[in-house]
Amino acid sequence: MKALVIGAGIGGVSAAAALKQQGIECEIFEAVKAIKPVGAAISVWSNGVKCMNHLGMGSIMDRLGGPMHYVAYKDGINNSLMTQFSLSPLVEAVGERPCPVSRADLQEQMIDWWGKDSIQFGKRLESLEQNANGVTAYFTDGTSAHGDFVIAADGTHSKARKHVLGHDVERRYAGYVNWNGLVDVSDDIAPPNQWTMFVGEGKRVSVMPIANNRFYFFFDVPLPLGLDEDRTTVKQDLTGYFEGWASPVQTLIQAINPDTTNRIEIHDIEPFDQLVKGRIALLGDSAHSTTPDIGQGGCSALEDAVVLGQCFAKIKDIEAALKEYEAARRFRVKDLVLKARKRCDVTHGKDMSETLAWYDELKVESGEGIIDGLKKTILGGPLA
Ligand code: FAD
C-alpha cells in the first residue's frame, strides 16, 4: 500500500511517520525548495508532545523544548502582576510537559528525522484525480505521481481541499495582527522560566522561553486588514501601538530584529464536517485552520496523524480507514477551532466589556481556572 503525502510541514511529516508505523509506504511532496515557516516558534502543548513521543519523534521535543515552568499575566501598562502560577499541576494531571519550540528547528529536525533526501521538494500540487484503484496527483511542473491514497497536508491555502469539499472556502480574518520572532532571554523583559503575557487595551505581548536561552515573543494588536506595514516599519509600528506601555515591553521592542520578525494577519476557516472524500483525506491546517489563540493548530495536526495511524492499525480497507479517521477527528477539530476563536475575541477586545471583565478575572485567578481549561483541551486528544 502506498500513500502520497502532500506537504512537508508538521502535518505531512507526522502523517507519514504514523503511516510508516503501520507498514505503509509514503512519498512526501513539498511545494517549496526550502521551507520557511510563517512563525518563529510554537508551543507544542502536552497533547502534541505525547503525539511526538508516540510517533517516535520525542527526542526532538527533548532537544528543543524550552523551560516553561510558570505562567504570569501582567498589566501591560503599569506592569503590575495580575496572576502567576506554576504549570506543575498541569504536567502532573496530564502526564506530559508542554514544549515551546523554535519552529524552524522543529521543521528542520522533523524533516531530517524522516530523511530530507527522500522528500520531493519543489513539487507543488495542482490537482488530484481519483478512481477505484487509487489517486493521481498532478504537479505544477508537469509531473505526476500515483498512490493508493492521498493525505493532503498542504496547509491553510490547501489546493486539495476543493477536491474533498467540492468548492473553495474563504479564510476569515480574525481581526488582529501578530508580530513574532525570537530574542535573547533577558530578566529586564521577564523571568527565563516563565510564559509571561502583558495585556491591556485588547492587545497582548507575550514571551515564552524556548531552548538555548531565547524568548519566543509575539505582539497582538487588533487592526484592520491590509495595512501598509511590513518588516521595514516594525519598530516604529510597535512603538506607536504600545506607547505608554510598561518598560519590559519597551525593552522587548528595542531588542527585536526587524529582519527576522514576522508580521501576520491572523485568519481561521469556518469549521467543516467533511475531511475525507474516497481516497483523499485532509490533515492539519488543510482540514482545520485555526487562530493561534489556544496554541493548538500544530498540536491538532499531530493528533490527526496519530489517529490516522490508529485507524489503519484497525482497518485495512483504505476508504473505510479514512472514513473512520474523519469520524474520529471532525468534532474534536471543530471544537478546537471554535474554542480558539472565542479566546481570540475575548483577548483582542471584540467586545471590550468582555475583555475588561477577563482582565478583572485574571486579577483574582489562582491559576486553577486556567489550568482546568488547558487540562480539558489536552485531555480531549487521542492519547489522553
Ligand atoms: P503547514 O505548516 O502550513 O504546512 C503545509 C506545507 O504544505 C508547507 O510546507 C507548504 O509549503 C506545503 N504546501 C502548500 N501547498 C502545497 C501544494 N500545493 N503542493 C505541495 N505542498 C504544498 N500551533 C500550535 O500547535 N501551537 C502554537 O503555539 C501555534 N502558534 C502559532 C502562531 C502563529 C502566528 C501561527 C500563524 C500559527 C500557529 N500555530 C500554532 C499553528 C500551526 O503553525 C499550524 O497549525 C501548523 O503549522 C499546521 O501544520 P500543517 O503541516 O498542517 O501546515
Side-chain angles (χ1 to χ4, degrees):
M1 206 189 283
K2 178 177 163 187
L4 309 181
V5 175
I6 311 297
I10 297 170
V13 177
S14 57
L19 293 173
K20 191 178 170 196
Q21 284 181 334
Q22 301 310 319
I24 298 169
E25 187 194 339
C26 291
E27 210 171 342
I28 305 180
F29 299 88
E30 165 56 50
V32 298
K33 294 224 161 78
I35 294 183
K36 288 202 185 93
V38 290
I42 68 170
S43 49
V44 182
W45 284 95
S46 315
N47 53 322
V49 177
K50 285 185 191 186
C51 293
M52 287 291 280
N53 293 339
H54 178 89
L55 296 170
M57 292 184 279
S59 60
I60 298 179
M61 296 286 99
D62 293 340
R63 281 194 295 277
L64 299 183
M68 183 171 75
H69 303 309
Y70 296 90
V71 175
Y73 278 90
K74 297 183 94 176
D75 182 313
I77 292 154
N78 67 24
N79 204 24
S80 63
L81 193 62
M82 299 163 103
T83 183
Q84 184 180 36
F85 54 91
S86 164
L87 279 173
S88 300
L90 175 74
V91 178
E92 274 161 35
V94 304
E96 187 50 86
R97 72 207 186 288
C99 286
V101 297
S102 150
R103 189 195 274 261
D105 292 346
L106 174 67
Q107 186 74 60
E108 189 182 316
Q109 295 199 16
M110 286 180 79
I111 283 176
D112 286 347
W113 179 88
W114 177 260
K116 194 172 184 175
D117 293 343
S118 52
I119 295 177
Q120 301 217 32
F121 289 94
K123 292 281 176 191
R124 182 172 292 279
L125 180 78
E126 172 74 55
S127 62
L128 293 166
E129 239 174 55
Q130 64 172 317
N131 61 30
N133 298 320
V135 189
T136 305
Y138 296 93
F139 301 100
T140 52
D141 64 359
T143 61
S144 64
H146 187 81
D148 295 300
F149 65 102
V150 161
I151 301 301
D154 55 343
T156 185
H157 300 284
S158 172
K159 196 84 183 169
R161 196 188 286 127
K162 73 169 183 304
H163 290 274
V164 170
L165 298 183
H167 56 84
D168 285 319
V169 295
E170 288 283 309
R171 295 169 81 229
R172 184 197 70 104
Y173 180 50
Y176 75 97
V177 173
N178 168 286
W179 289 260
N180 66 70
L182 306 179
V183 289
D184 289 340
V185 156
S186 159
D187 283 322
D188 293 338
I189 299 171
N193 59 354
Q194 176 171 286
W195 177 21
T196 308
M197 281 160 285
F198 301 86
V199 293
E201 304 169 342
K203 302 171 193 169
R204 177 167 59 151
V205 181
S206 159
V207 286
M208 204 179 238
I210 64 163
N212 300 328
N213 292 317
R214 292 170 296 171
F215 277 140
Y216 160 44
F217 70 81
F218 64 79
F219 297 82
D220 290 349
V221 182
L223 286 172
L225 194 61
L227 290 184
D228 189 18
E229 294 176 348
D230 59 19
R231 284 194 172 135
T232 58
T233 59
V234 60
K235 277 205 182 182
Q236 83 198 51
D237 295 336
L238 292 175
T239 302
Y241 294 133
F242 292 95
E243 192 185 341
W245 279 52
S247 66
V249 174
Q250 306 305 334
T251 306
L252 176 61
I253 293 172
Q254 289 319 309
I256 68 178
N257 176 356
D259 295 338
T260 53
T261 299
N262 307 296
R263 182 189 185 278
I264 303 170
E265 293 171 328
I266 297 296
H267 288 74
D268 67 8
I269 291 177
E270 192 60 35
F272 44 85
D273 286 327
Q274 192 172 357
L275 310 182
V276 169
K277 187 173 182 194
R279 291 167 176 254
I280 305 170
L282 304 177
L283 184 145
D285 277 11
S286 70
H288 41 81
S289 274
T290 177
T291 68
D293 290 84
I294 59 169
Q296 282 291 331
C299 295
S300 49
L302 291 164
E303 288 188 1
D304 289 348
V306 167
V307 171
L308 183 72
Q310 289 172 336
C311 293
F312 275 97
K314 271 195 304 193
I315 304 168
K316 296 301 164 208
D317 176 75
I318 292 171
E319 294 196 23
L322 294 180
K323 269 289 163 204
E324 175 78 6
Y325 157 78
E326 176 183 79
R329 290 304 291 158
R330 65 191 174 123
F331 295 115
R332 165 74 170 163
V333 295
K334 182 187 272 193
D335 181 53
L336 290 175
V337 172
L338 296 180
K339 213 182 237 181
R341 189 181 283 184
K342 198 165 164 197
R343 192 68 261 140
C344 163
D345 290 348
V346 174
T347 303
H348 300 106
K350 188 171 184 195
D351 171 347
M352 207 53 202
S353 64
E354 278 190 34
T355 306
L356 294 174
W358 175 55
Y359 295 161
D360 286 340
E361 278 168 34
L362 287 174
K363 289 177 200 155
V364 292
E365 169 69 58
S366 65
E368 224 172 294
I370 294 175
I371 285 188
D372 264 1
L374 290 166
K375 216 174 3 182
K376 275 197 198 98
T377 298
I378 290 166
L379 294 178
L383 300 173

